Amino acid sequence: MNIKNLKQLKTAVAPFEKSTVKASVWQLANTIVPFLLLWFIAYKSLSISYMLTLVFSIAAAGFLVRIFIIFHDCCHFSFFKNRKANKILGTITGILTLFPYSKWQHSHSIHHATSSNLDKRGVGDLWMMTIEEYENASLMVKIQYRLYRNPFIMFILGPIYEFLLANRFNRKGARSKERLNTYVTNISIVLLVVLLGTTLGWSSFLLVQLPIFLISGSVGVWLFYVQHTFEDTYFEEDKNWDYVKAAVEGSSFYRLPKWMQWLTGNIGYHHVHHLSPRVPNYNLEHVHQQTEPLQNVPTITLASSLRSLKFRLWDEKDKKFISFYEWKKQKKALSMSARSEMQ
């Protein structure tokens, strides 16, 4: 695809940037209702077998991921045409997913505006260092970065910290409406937890809710990670950065089994979403199928996505992600080459 064709993509996508009340309401019904039902069944199954409870909790976690996608659409004002309706529903689904609507909307908007821009990292994205940055970093920063990129910390401890702690505080410089939304979200979460804990019993509540929270949180972070962390993704300095290229080359098409695609609200079509955030999640697949250039974007599968776990550093020279092991091999090869030239 040349630059001219890339620029034409947004025009081709424009007709799909329309939500419909019928489709949105139906998605709410086939997402919220099953989640609540599975949660209730998981609670009732505690008297039979906790293994059975875990089965229902895992299923409920999948629907909570789908609820987050609805929340995510509301943050882009793409789930309903009415902005106020998006804000109300976004706040409610934010309570269920532990995300303050206004705060996350702000950081996520920055993520979309700066995704794959090497000079504008730091807000709404994952910590990523280039080879040069890592080599010039202090020992403490290197240790912190290695810990951050460790899969256990990123996908297990990370969601716990982010969802339970970081999301509870307002960002510096937040306006009064954003601060108020965070307070309303936090108070609502506390009231909901206290209500369920005292009504159902704290041990029963935690035995059901904890696995739902841990699984959905890990899946959510994984989806965000894998859709921007693949070998030949796109990163450029600000002077060479292009929004459309960042969307279609810096965001992957994560081809998932149909049932996973459904539970994750089509977010695997991440290239389409970054190209046009105003496309509601239930239209993403249609855009991909009916826009030929978008069918030739970087594609990953469940199997190939696992390889992204090794990616740690961005190689600006070869424009690809590499592992720490590959970085060490590069350094060793360069060192040997230098010694040979000296001899």
Side-chain angles (χ1 to χ4, degrees):
M1 292 183 289
N2 57 42
I3 296 295
K4 184 178 180 180
N5 288 336
L6 284 170
K7 301 266 187 190
Q8 292 172 341
L9 284 177
K10 285 190 70 66
T11 301
V13 170
F16 299 93
E17 296 175 331
K18 297 176 182 178
S19 62
T20 60
V21 173
K22 182 179 179 181
S24 295
V25 170
W26 171 237
Q27 187 171 66
L28 273 176
N30 65 33
T31 303
I32 302 289
V33 173
F35 171 73
L36 296 176
L37 184 60
L38 285 165
W39 206 105
F40 179 72
I41 295 174
Y43 164 70
K44 284 295 186 180
S45 69
L46 285 170
S47 60
I48 303 173
S49 166
Y50 189 62
M51 292 303 296
L52 185 59
T53 300
L54 283 177
V55 170
F56 289 116
S57 292
I58 291 170
F63 278 90
L64 190 58
V65 171
R66 188 167 163 85
I67 290 173
F68 179 82
I69 300 302
I70 293 174
F71 162 84
H72 169 259
D73 273 15
C74 289
C75 288
H76 288 294
F77 299 117
S78 64
F79 198 71
F80 289 121
K81 294 177 183 178
N82 185 282
R83 292 173 73 91
K84 188 173 182 179
N86 281 298
K87 289 180 179 179
I88 293 172
L89 180 60
T91 299
I92 294 171
T93 50
I95 292 168
L96 293 176
T97 55
L98 307 183
F99 273 82
Y101 172 80
S102 296
K103 177 188 175 182
W104 195 79
Q105 182 187 51
H106 176 269
S107 64
H108 193 62
S109 295
I110 293 176
H111 163 68
H112 272 264
T114 61
S115 180
S116 298
N117 190 320
L118 287 171
D119 296 322
K120 295 183 178 180
R121 287 167 286 163
V123 179
D125 55 12
L126 298 171
W127 187 13
M128 185 275 289
M129 296 182 77
T130 65
I131 291 176
E132 183 180 3
E133 289 169 343
Y134 183 78
E135 290 179 339
N136 293 330
S138 66
L139 177 61
M140 182 57 68
V141 171
K142 287 180 179 178
I143 292 173
Q144 291 173 345
Y145 185 69
R146 281 181 175 267
L147 288 173
Y148 179 92
R149 303 292 291 198
N150 180 278
F152 178 76
I153 292 178
M154 180 169 283
F155 302 116
I156 305 299
L157 298 183
I160 295 173
Y161 167 77
E162 187 68 24
F163 301 166
L164 290 184
L165 297 176
N167 279 352
R168 308 282 67 82
F169 299 95
N170 281 301
R171 64 182 178 86
K172 185 177 180 181
R175 295 182 178 181
S176 57
K177 286 186 178 181
E178 182 180 323
R179 291 180 177 276
L180 179 60
N181 182 264
T182 300
Y183 299 147
V184 168
T185 300
N186 289 345
I187 292 171
S188 299
I189 290 171
V190 170
L191 291 176
L192 183 60
V193 168
V194 170
L195 175 64
L196 291 173
T198 54
T199 303
L200 305 179
W202 285 102
S203 60
S204 297
F205 168 71
L206 292 174
L207 285 171
V208 172
Q209 183 60 28
L210 280 180
I212 293 175
F213 163 71
L214 292 172
I215 294 168
S216 61
S218 295
V219 170
V221 173
W222 168 255
L223 287 170
F224 188 83
Y225 171 84
V226 77
Q227 290 175 329
H228 292 285
T229 309
F230 49 97
E231 187 170 12
D232 297 314
T233 187
Y234 172 90
F235 276 100
E236 285 289 352
E237 295 177 351
D238 188 52
K239 61 182 179 181
N240 299 319
W241 183 83
D242 180 83
Y243 177 85
V244 181
K245 276 195 171 184
V248 299
E249 296 178 16
S251 305
S252 67
F253 166 34
Y254 197 9
R255 183 182 286 120
L256 296 169
K258 280 295 182 181
W259 67 274
M260 286 188 179
Q261 178 186 322
W262 188 86
L263 277 178
T264 56
N266 297 312
I267 201 62
Y269 295 93
H270 213 58
H271 56 302
V272 179
H273 172 64
H274 264 264
L275 181 65
S276 179
R278 294 305 298 271
V279 176
N281 72 83
Y282 46 77
N283 282 346
L284 293 175
E285 184 177 7
H286 300 310
V287 175
H288 176 82
Q289 290 177 342
Q290 297 186 37
T291 312
E292 187 176 351
L294 293 179
Q295 297 169 16
N296 301 312
V297 299
T299 304
I300 55 177
T301 63
L302 272 178
S304 65
S305 67
L306 296 177
R307 292 201 293 270
S308 69
L309 288 170
K310 70 178 183 178
F311 297 141
R312 298 289 187 272
L313 300 167
W314 177 252
D315 186 336
E316 287 192 84
K317 180 182 177 182
D318 293 332
K319 296 187 181 300
K320 66 177 184 178
F321 270 113
I322 64 171
S323 65
F324 284 128
Y325 175 73
E326 290 169 319
W327 166 69
K328 288 178 180 178
K329 282 181 65 177
Q330 282 187 11
K331 287 193 67 176
K332 185 177 180 180
L334 287 172
S335 178
M336 291 177 64
S337 177
R339 284 200 299 267
S340 298
E341 288 179 3
M342 291 176 65
Q343 294 174 357

